[in-house]
Amino acid sequence: MMRGAASTEVVAVMVMMLAVLNQLESAAANDSLSSNKSFCNIYRGSWVYDNSYPLYDSKSCPFIERQFNCKSNGRPDQDYLKYRWQPSGCNVIRFNGLDFLERLKGKKLMFVGDSLSLNQWQSLTCLLHNASPKAKFAITRSPSGLSVFSFPAYNATIMFSRNAFLVDIVGAPPKRVMKLDSISTGSLWKTADVLVFNSWHWWLHTGRKQPWDAVEYGNVTVRDMDRLVAYEKAIRTWGMWIDQNIDHYKTKVFFQGVSPDHARSKDWSKQGGNGSCIGETKPVMGSNYPAGPHPAEMVVEKVIKTMKHPARLMDVTLMSQLRKDGHPSVYGFGGHKNPDCSHWCLAGVPDSWNQLLYSELFHS
């Protein structure tokens, strides 16, 4: 009898041990799946055709600026509206405007940068207005370059501060100086709960479009310098300013990444040539862009790694490089005289940027 009881106890212990081992293996498997999911890069993938897109009709967004409203400007093709960004190793959550507004209650989100930031700001406001079309909204614009879109019912504010270089430009023509190591306009940035920065589009301008006459760094002033070198110095100044002035426990900081243009068809076409985005109606298919990484994006990535509290890089460059079809082209503000291969149609590519911002903010 004693021997039988002992055998029963041994079997019971063995069963318990097997159960514990099964639980540990299950937990390890779940951890592995979770880890794989957390390491999924949502900025690497491809564009897939999706009949449920676009996320809104531009006709339902009464405040889209003319330069982005391709459909209203007469663009006849529709396929550019139908592409959804699909990461390679996971799925990204679909944009939910009502959820976004609920989570943004009592907070301020600010885009800081050039007209590509304006593009993204308009996209987000259209997405949110579409989610709650009956909610009252207000738009104010100031001469200083600050645009404010607010939803009083949610006490939520989405702002755009026009600041193409992030660093200071002082003086008046012909003695305007861009100071690569100075930021004096950052007090406004401190008021936001979420900051999304962008800069690059204006760095290559010359002639009449160049808004400065000299460049200063430290005690050295020159008429000009390699623009990518100047850009890196400015982005380093921005990174140091963020580290020294923004409480990373209270404010989330993103850098939008570099939005590419499509002015040279040789960047994506094996045939090469001197074409542009004009007449393009489909994306570059797949996950690779023939011209390779954008040099300015590589600068941003390098600088962010040196920050004490690194900003989150919204690495939208590759996904945007693949969208040679997404620009206003001749259906923008400039028409056939000045086709636009830099900005983006709305609805369009910036909506996917904001979908990824939504994922980064609330579901990562």
Side-chain angles (χ1 to χ4, degrees):
M1 293 291 292
M2 291 293 293
R3 188 181 303 169
S7 298
T8 302
E9 290 178 0
V10 170
V11 171
V13 170
M14 291 180 68
V15 169
M16 291 176 62
M17 290 179 67
L18 285 172
V20 171
L21 285 171
N22 286 334
Q23 289 178 354
L24 289 173
E25 288 177 357
S26 177
N30 289 335
D31 285 346
S32 178
L33 288 171
S34 175
S35 177
N36 288 337
K37 183 178 179 181
S38 67
F39 280 119
C40 173
N41 187 344
I42 60 176
Y43 300 101
R44 293 294 177 267
S46 59
W47 292 94
V48 297
Y49 196 86
D50 188 333
N51 273 318
S52 71
Y53 272 56
L55 295 174
Y56 59 89
D57 188 327
S58 59
K59 290 182 180 179
S60 67
C61 190
F63 41 80
I64 293 181
E65 295 198 6
R66 179 185 167 192
Q67 62 179 316
F68 308 138
N69 201 344
C70 304
K71 191 174 180 181
S72 177
N73 291 335
R75 181 166 178 171
D77 58 306
Q78 301 290 313
D79 280 356
Y80 75 96
L81 296 167
K82 295 291 186 179
Y83 286 94
R84 170 176 56 81
W85 179 247
Q86 177 60 57
S88 297
C90 57
N91 293 318
V92 64
I93 191 167
R94 191 177 178 92
F95 187 90
N96 185 327
L98 289 177
D99 181 55
F100 197 111
L101 284 169
E102 286 291 339
R103 293 172 183 267
L104 202 63
K105 271 188 175 180
K107 296 179 180 179
K108 297 178 181 178
L109 186 155
M110 183 186 296
F111 294 99
V112 183
D114 54 34
S115 52
L116 276 308
S117 290
L118 170 64
N119 221 169
Q120 188 175 5
W121 175 74
Q122 285 234 300
S123 162
L124 182 57
T125 54
C126 285
L127 286 164
L128 297 178
H129 173 66
N130 181 70
S132 186
K134 294 183 179 180
K136 291 183 178 180
F137 64 87
I139 303 176
T140 58
R141 298 175 184 260
S142 68
S144 65
L146 180 66
S147 301
V148 180
F149 191 104
S150 57
F151 286 91
Y154 294 91
N155 191 23
T157 305
I158 302 95
M159 298 179 284
F160 162 59
S161 176
R162 188 180 291 274
N163 191 326
F165 297 94
L166 303 183
V167 294
D168 294 335
I169 296 178
V170 300
K175 296 183 178 181
R176 299 164 299 177
V177 179
M178 180 161 65
K179 308 181 73 166
L180 297 178
D181 55 0
S182 174
I183 293 176
S184 62
T185 57
S187 58
L188 179 65
W189 305 349
K190 297 179 183 179
T191 66
D193 300 283
V194 180
L195 288 162
V196 184
F197 291 93
N198 157 64
S199 180
W200 172 246
H201 183 61
W202 277 81
W203 284 87
L204 298 180
H205 284 325
T206 58
R208 292 183 178 181
K209 287 188 175 182
Q210 178 180 301
W212 45 267
D213 305 296
V215 181
E216 178 184 293
Y217 187 73
N219 297 321
V220 178
T221 302
V222 295
R223 295 263 329 246
D224 204 349
M225 68 167 62
D226 181 286
R227 300 303 175 85
L228 195 62
V229 172
Y231 178 69
E232 180 169 346
K233 291 181 184 298
I235 298 302
R236 288 191 182 279
T237 298
W238 165 83
M240 289 188 290
W241 192 96
I242 293 295
D243 274 340
Q244 294 168 6
N245 293 276
I246 297 296
D247 185 345
H248 69 283
Y249 290 109
K250 295 181 179 179
T251 305
K252 293 185 177 180
V253 180
F254 297 86
F255 199 99
Q256 182 204 46
V258 172
S259 176
D261 64 53
H262 288 92
R264 300 164 300 279
S265 59
K266 63 181 180 181
D267 286 349
W268 66 83
S269 172
K270 293 181 179 179
Q271 284 72 40
N274 297 315
S276 66
C277 70
I278 297 175
E280 295 291 342
T281 59
K282 296 186 183 302
V284 175
M285 304 313 293
S287 303
N288 297 301
Y289 190 62
H294 196 294
E297 180 79 358
M298 296 171 71
V299 165
V300 173
E301 188 173 351
K302 179 171 68 173
V303 170
I304 284 178
K305 288 178 180 178
T306 69
M307 295 174 66
K308 182 179 178 182
H309 301 292
R312 177 66 176 167
L313 176 60
M314 289 187 62
D315 193 0
V316 301
T317 302
L318 174 62
M319 64 184 290
S320 305
Q321 284 177 319
L322 299 174
R323 291 304 305 271
K324 58 186 173 63
D325 61 316
H327 300 286
S329 178
V330 298
Y331 303 103
F333 188 75
H336 285 81
K337 290 183 178 180
N338 189 19
D340 185 352
C341 293
S342 298
H343 300 98
W344 303 94
C345 294
L346 294 179
V349 172
D351 302 329
S352 293
W353 299 349
N354 283 317
Q355 182 180 9
L356 298 183
L357 177 62
Y358 172 62
S359 176
E360 294 266 28
L361 277 173
F362 306 125
H363 297 281
S364 62

